[in-house]
Amino acid sequence: MMMMMMMMAECRGTVYLTLMLMYPVLLCLPHSARGVHPRMRLSNKELWQLNRTWLFQGHGVSLQPQTMLLDEGHERLYIGAKNGLFSLSLDQVNTHHREIQWASTEPQIEDCLMKGREKPECANYIKVLQQYNHTHLLVCGTGAFNPVCGLVRLGHSGQDKLFALEEDRITSGRGRCPYDPKSPCTSTLSRGELYIGLYTDYWENDGALCRLNTQTYTRTERDDRQQLSGPKFVGSAVIPDNDDRDDDKVYFFFTERAMDADGLNKAVYTRIGRVCANDQGGQRMLVNRWSSFLKTRLICSVAGSSGIDTHFDDLEDIFVLKDKDGKNPTIFGLFSTTSAVFKGYAVCVYNMDDIRAAFNGPFAYRERPEHHWIPYEDRVPYPRPGSCASKVSGGGFHSSKEFPDEVLRFVRSHPVMYRPVLPQYRRPVLLQTEPGRRKLTQIAVDRVQAQDGHYHVLYIGTDDSVVLKAITIYNKDTDTMEEVLLEELQVFKVSAPIREMVISPKRQQLYVGSEVGVAQVRLHQCDRYGSECADCCLARDPYCAWDGFTCSRYYPAGVYAKSRRFRRQDVRHGNAVQLCNGLQIDDEGSQRLVYSVENNSTLLECVPRSLQAKVIWFLHQGGEKHEVESDERVFMISHGLLFLHVKSSDAGVYVCQTVEHGYVNTLLRITLHVLRGERVESAIRGSNDEEAEKPSCSVSSDPPPGPSIGPSIGPSTSPRVLVPSSLPGHHSKQWYKEFLKLIGYGNAQRVAEYCEKMWCVDKKRKKTKKKHASPGGERKRKERGEVNSNRAPRHILDT
Ligand SMILES: *[C@@H]1O[C@H](CO)[C@@H](O)[C@H](O)[C@H]1NC(C)=O
Ligand SMILES: *[C@@H]1O[C@H](CO)[C@@H](O)[C@H](O)[C@H]1NC(C)=O
Ligand SMILES: *[C@@H]1O[C@H](CO)[C@@H](O)[C@H](O)[C@H]1NC(C)=O
Ligand SMILES: CC(=O)N[C@H]1CO[C@H](CO)[C@@H](O)[C@@H]1O
């Protein structure tokens, strides 16, 4: 397959390492699996520690947001929820919120229960939330299976934020909001007219695409399976064709059951349908019905080696990425496949040119339902069916009511186009095909200008509270697509499907809704990638560039012209070797000492920042250097090098190196000492004659202990690296006691004495270098906001 599969860790549960090692858990994270991980994975806790997220939860009862609307003018985010509406601050969603409670009334609930519905269904779920005009929102809710609509008054920015339901203007929401909270529906509002795709009735028999304004109600035909057949409504948008507003089209994205003669074929297709915004219906026929409704298939498929394509036919979400003048947005579809043999998700991208070409192409035609569709080749009436009554499309018609009957009859009987819309590059830009993986539910996209071009940064919500941030890079020469999974963000603490996602490019924030609440997440955090050129370059995040000092937000030329002179970024290749040549600090790596007891298990911890970096271990022993290989006793796991039963012959200097995009970085040098069991025992029994050299701990040229070492061992159940090298004095004693207790030695007093001795002897012998922190420890300290003077040194390979 030409696509790089987006696969995630085999075993996602955090692996807790204690000295009581749970081998099976560890072993399911083989090192070689790293290449398919997101480069960075941020837990919910880490997002909070980084100040990258905020959460709004209402009153602690499950918020259940149904729909969200961004209002950058008023600087608010509106939430349609269960029994209420919220207006949140775009700056920080958990501060200064406003709220409208709008629950179903007691009689409504009783009525609903009488109909045999469950109590939770009988709440008022706000499903429609649109900016009606500058001062009002149009809102509709299910109202206990009795839809209602109303207007919400908004205050101007600056003024005290007004957010109030106009109680005296509540009307029936029938035809404007579904009855069932679970019913799919999509709406968009343009020039005071609401376009909505929904099931209009209680029993969900009548799926329709409708337009409502104060005077008219225009819709698809009832019970016309050619027009709509069991639709699931996913998205909608008004997109102008040209400068003539009479040519504006309204596009609907939905799935429906494929129409077949026997009615047995349950295949689902994704459709793009469209109508003219100014469609007035017909005069004698198609009265209050669309006179311009056409649809075609939206294809998202992967070519198989056998020549049979795998189709992703079930549309999950759609995102319309607006361009400057709004006429040529880029459309992103998130699809799943319903195939029994193959399960997966794909993102496909569509251009307006291709969409318009499909609608301008031949109409589909078939003699009988059991025949194949063929292009309609006879004469097509004038004006072309599906075109709008406008100056541009010609014909001198002022309204669709003037269209000849022949045109209306044709459009009514030929609503399907022969040509489908194919995606850009004829394939998905992103694939997830691993069986049993998380489900993908939502998509939002940001267009980002980088030094080497612009990128679409995809944000994909999952069913387990995660947002994936990815870019995809098309290589013209090889006709291949590269997926770069930049970050995996756990947006909610508990696992819940992401239901809504709204992006604000202006504020560089993503707003994410799940039943838990609404979270806000900053789109990027460049400094987290690391403080050096290579860290920043390897990240390949189009938002970020190295400015000579830090990894920081990249602004294209002209925006901050002054700060531009020294910006390094290479999103396309992430070639740190070339870009950051000569910028490395040194190539030594931090130094460490690790003591282990013979036959016991030992972990030499080395956690690179990037989950995509390949870790290589070298052992220096007796003047020789060789690469460490895994065997039944030595494992390379995601946390480092694990010895199940350490032998005295394992002692030596272990060097942990990472390689990412050809860039080699030495993170750590760990000197492993293996203590023989008897020696430890005898020390504990109190034999003080073992080491002749009497140490003097007070004499030390070492720097003060690095802050990570004590705390990272501490009283926690998860000791990391056994590093006695730099902890003189009181701390070391405590720490050593902990260590030995963990490995099964009870006599802490004696242990302490022994250790102190061991310790100081060793310190005299080794000239410990100035570096102590593991990259992992460094990261953790950074997140806690502690001062950090350690920099992980770098080494650049010649290529
Ligand atoms: C997060 O914000 C708090 C309070 O504003 C601040 O004290 C802390 O240092 C910040 N943490 C980081 C990692 O920026
Ligand atoms: C917005 O619409 C409402 C309801 O029709 C109306 O009362 C209000 O005056 C309108 N506001 C503006 C600014 O047009
Ligand atoms: C370690 O194990 C080996 C073989 O199992 C054994 O011969 C040796 O005595 C053990 N050493 C200690 C210190 O327990
Ligand atoms: C954690 C662990 O395996 N500890 C063992 C270390 O080795 C001694 C004997 O050498 C055992 O008694 C410990 O249980």
Side-chain angles (χ1 to χ4, degrees):
M1 195 156 296
M2 283 189 250
M3 203 77 48
M4 269 180 63
M5 294 294 169
M6 186 167 80
M7 290 187 273
M8 285 133 216
E10 279 299 327
C11 119
R12 270 190 307 108
T14 316
V15 180
Y16 293 104
L17 278 175
T18 67
L19 285 173
M20 308 298 156
L21 293 161
M22 295 173 290
Y23 304 126
V25 179
L26 290 168
L27 299 184
C28 73
L29 258 178
H31 213 99
S32 57
R34 272 202 175 135
V36 292
H37 287 202
R39 190 163 186 281
M40 294 280 167
R41 179 177 285 140
L42 286 170
S43 68
N44 188 248
K45 197 173 157 196
E46 286 170 307
L47 285 174
W48 279 98
Q49 284 167 343
L50 291 164
N51 290 341
R52 195 168 162 185
T53 192
W54 300 107
L55 176 65
F56 176 75
Q57 283 190 295
H59 310 289
V61 291
S62 172
L63 195 63
Q64 303 202 30
Q66 307 288 308
T67 177
M68 310 203 313
L69 177 70
L70 189 68
D71 180 357
E72 294 196 296
H74 288 107
E75 308 188 326
R76 305 300 281 179
L77 178 72
Y78 306 119
I79 313 292
K82 178 185 174 183
N83 290 331
L85 290 142
F86 297 88
S87 163
L88 310 182
S89 154
L90 286 184
D91 268 343
Q92 208 179 312
V93 289
N94 58 335
T95 58
H96 309 296
H97 81 271
R98 295 270 152 167
E99 142 172 26
I100 294 166
Q101 290 186 14
W102 191 10
S104 313
T105 61
E106 277 307 321
Q108 283 172 331
I109 293 171
E110 264 167 46
D111 200 40
C112 175
L113 294 171
M114 291 276 284
K115 288 174 188 160
R117 297 292 175 169
E118 300 292 325
K119 188 90 194 266
E121 294 177 295
C122 295
N124 184 23
Y125 292 86
I126 309 299
K127 307 280 283 183
V128 175
L129 179 55
Q130 295 290 338
Q131 189 99 41
Y132 188 65
N133 59 26
H134 192 63
T135 55
H136 286 79
L137 297 178
L138 172 68
V139 294
C140 302
T142 55
F145 282 83
N146 189 11
V148 282
C149 286
L151 288 165
V152 169
R153 233 200 111 118
L154 305 172
H156 297 275
S157 61
Q159 207 178 308
D160 188 33
K161 299 276 182 286
L162 185 60
F163 188 63
L165 185 66
E166 305 231 0
E167 304 275 358
D168 53 348
R169 293 168 87 169
I170 291 171
T171 56
S172 164
R174 252 162 261 172
R176 293 196 279 176
C177 183
Y179 286 69
D180 190 329
K182 291 187 291 294
S183 183
C185 109
T186 175
S187 62
T188 187
L189 200 141
S190 168
R191 292 197 270 178
E193 305 194 299
L194 178 73
Y195 298 88
I196 183 162
L198 84 168
Y199 283 89
T200 65
D201 60 328
Y202 178 88
W203 297 108
E204 307 230 327
N205 291 323
D206 180 37
L209 300 172
C210 314
R211 182 191 58 208
L212 300 94
N213 54 30
T214 41
Q215 286 97 44
T216 65
Y217 188 79
T218 308
R219 51 163 291 165
T220 44
E221 285 285 6
R222 251 173 230 279
D223 304 321
D224 181 344
R225 307 234 339 203
Q226 252 205 131
Q227 281 197 334
L228 291 174
S229 168
K232 175 182 90 179
F233 304 101
V234 178
S236 50
V238 179
I239 303 173
D241 260 2
N242 48 55
D243 290 333
D244 184 353
R245 298 210 70 175
D246 277 334
D247 254 345
D248 288 3
K249 308 279 193 306
V250 187
Y251 290 85
F252 289 96
F253 302 89
F254 55 98
T255 66
E256 64 176 349
R257 283 192 292 276
M259 274 187 314
D260 264 321
D262 49 12
L264 287 176
N265 192 337
K266 291 215 182 70
V268 162
Y269 284 157
T270 290
R271 297 286 195 191
I272 175 171
R274 78 174 196 193
V275 293
C276 293
N278 72 353
D279 193 338
Q280 299 301 314
Q283 186 68 29
R284 283 172 299 276
M285 58 182 294
L286 291 181
V287 178
N288 294 332
R289 299 290 180 263
W290 299 114
S291 67
S292 58
F293 176 71
L294 297 177
K295 66 180 180 184
T296 192
R297 189 171 165 198
L298 207 52
I299 296 225
C300 184
S301 66
V302 180
S305 49
S306 54
I308 298 166
D309 292 355
T310 299
H311 282 272
F312 296 83
D313 278 323
D314 201 353
L315 184 64
E316 301 285 343
D317 194 22
I318 202 95
F319 186 86
V320 178
L321 180 67
K322 294 218 162 68
D323 64 331
K324 252 206 186 89
D325 66 3
K327 288 177 200 141
N328 291 293
T330 310
I331 290 160
F332 295 79
L334 172 64
F335 298 82
S336 66
T337 166
T338 46
S339 152
V341 274
F342 180 82
K343 290 256 182 286
Y345 291 84
V347 175
C348 279
V349 184
Y350 305 91
N351 296 320
M352 284 311 294
D353 283 350
D354 295 329
I355 291 169
R356 291 189 180 113
F359 283 107
N360 291 335
F363 294 90
Y365 169 78
R366 61 180 173 182
E367 192 98 6
R368 300 167 147 277
E370 62 271 26
H371 288 185
H372 279 299
W373 290 102
I374 53 164
Y376 182 85
E377 274 163 351
D378 281 352
R379 195 191 70 89
V380 169
Y382 182 83
R384 185 183 157 91
S387 61
C388 308
S390 74
K391 283 179 223 70
V392 173
S393 61
F397 297 96
H398 296 101
S399 155
S400 59
K401 290 193 171 169
E402 300 172 7
F403 283 160
D405 287 353
E406 191 193 10
V407 169
L408 301 183
R409 258 196 300 274
F410 188 95
V411 80
R412 171 87 211 265
S413 53
H414 300 84
V416 189
M417 306 312 299
Y418 179 70
R419 286 200 197 120
V421 179
L422 297 177
Q424 211 178 30
Y425 313 124
R426 310 228 153 178
R427 74 184 67 166
V429 293
L430 191 138
L431 265 181
Q432 179 188 293
T433 54
E434 227 183 322
R437 289 302 317 174
R438 52 168 60 117
K439 293 182 178 136
L440 308 185
T441 58
Q442 290 281 307
I443 184 166
V445 183
D446 190 16
R447 190 185 150 99
V448 182
Q449 184 67 48
Q451 204 154 32
D452 56 357
H454 77 260
Y455 291 87
H456 291 141
V457 181
L458 313 182
Y459 296 90
I460 296 169
T462 70
D463 67 338
D464 62 349
S465 295
V466 162
V467 170
L468 306 168
K469 172 178 162 186
I471 55 169
T472 61
I473 297 169
Y474 178 69
N475 185 330
K476 220 196 235 159
D477 299 334
T478 55
D479 187 32
T480 52
M481 194 75 72
E482 183 190 2
E483 280 171 23
V484 185
L485 192 47
L486 302 168
E487 290 188 294
E488 184 184 304
L489 314 169
Q490 195 204 332
V491 172
F492 298 101
K493 200 163 147 195
V494 297
S495 178
I498 288 174
R499 293 278 174 237
E500 283 290 318
M501 224 155 64
V502 166
I503 192 168
S504 168
K506 195 170 151 195
R507 291 177 172 265
Q508 305 273 286
Q509 300 278 351
L510 190 69
Y511 302 92
V512 186
S514 81
E515 60 176 38
V516 177
V518 176
Q520 156 190 7
V521 190
R522 194 143 33 100
L523 300 183
H524 46 78
Q525 186 137 30
C526 299
D527 57 5
R528 221 202 95 86
Y529 291 125
S531 54
E532 292 190 32
C533 179
D535 293 327
C536 200
C537 178
L538 289 169
R540 301 173 77 185
D541 189 327
Y543 293 106
C544 305
W546 198 66
D547 63 9
F549 303 98
T550 57
C551 191
S552 59
R553 179 78 171 94
Y554 172 79
Y555 295 99
V559 179
Y560 290 93
K562 264 185 232 150
S563 62
R564 241 200 103 241
R565 74 203 138 79
F566 198 62
R567 300 291 274 164
R568 287 174 202 243
Q569 189 191 46
D570 180 14
V571 177
R572 183 161 269 271
H573 305 107
N575 189 343
V577 178
Q578 196 179 50
L579 205 67
C580 303
N581 197 4
L583 295 171
Q584 79 272 27
I585 308 300
D586 69 56
D587 63 352
E588 283 288 282
S590 310
Q591 307 275 329
R592 290 206 164 173
L593 273 173
V594 171
Y595 289 85
S596 181
V597 179
E598 193 176 6
N599 287 353
N600 280 42
S601 47
T602 293
L603 173 71
L604 304 186
E605 190 189 44
C606 182
V607 185
R609 261 205 192 83
S610 165
L611 297 174
Q612 287 170 359
K614 180 173 162 28
V615 176
I616 305 170
W617 288 89
F618 290 99
L619 170 60
H620 295 257
Q621 222 175 21
E624 284 187 31
K625 172 187 165 184
H626 62 89
E627 191 177 334
V628 178
E629 310 221 351
S630 293
D631 57 27
E632 69 283 349
R633 209 171 50 80
V634 183
F635 295 90
M636 280 181 229
I637 59 167
S638 54
H639 281 65
L641 193 62
L642 174 71
F643 295 84
L644 293 195
H645 304 288
V646 79
K647 289 200 252 177
S648 50
S649 61
D650 290 327
V653 178
Y654 288 82
V655 179
C656 171
Q657 279 190 344
T658 59
V659 186
E660 192 172 11
H661 283 276
Y663 183 85
V664 179
N665 184 5
T666 301
L667 293 183
L668 268 179
R669 281 160 194 276
I670 303 176
T671 306
L672 175 67
H673 289 274
V674 181
L675 311 179
R676 293 200 352 267
E678 315 90 69
R679 196 170 129 184
V680 179
E681 297 285 357
S682 67
I684 287 161
R685 277 196 305 272
S687 65
N688 263 344
D689 55 327
E690 217 169 79
E691 294 282 342
E693 215 176 334
K694 197 74 192 160
S696 159
C697 283
S698 55
V699 181
S700 169
S701 58
D702 283 358
S708 78
I709 294 156
S712 78
I713 300 297
S716 96
T717 54
S718 163
R720 296 273 169 172
V721 184
L722 314 178
V723 206
S725 68
S726 60
L727 282 168
H730 182 73
H731 277 303
S732 62
K733 225 187 259 178
Q734 192 51 44
W735 177 84
Y736 229 2
K737 277 185 207 164
E738 297 279 2
F739 162 38
L740 283 153
K741 237 186 262 165
L742 277 161
I743 62 172
Y745 290 95
N747 191 335
Q749 185 61 42
R750 291 285 165 75
V751 165
E753 284 164 25
Y754 167 79
C755 295
E756 209 153 297
K757 200 172 71 182
M758 274 293 302
W759 199 262
C760 300
V761 169
D762 209 85
K763 273 204 327 196
K764 267 193 153 181
R765 261 194 238 129
K766 303 275 161 192
K767 278 185 190 150
T768 334
K769 286 240 179 170
K770 289 196 175 186
K771 302 170 192 90
H772 315 279
S774 81
E778 186 185 338
R779 192 186 63 223
K780 272 168 226 119
R781 269 179 293 124
K782 260 196 181 156
E783 287 158 12
R784 287 198 301 266
E786 288 168 22
V787 188
N788 159 45
S789 58
N790 287 314
R791 308 186 81 178
R794 304 290 130 134
H795 171 66
I796 292 175
L797 253 200
D798 293 325
T799 43

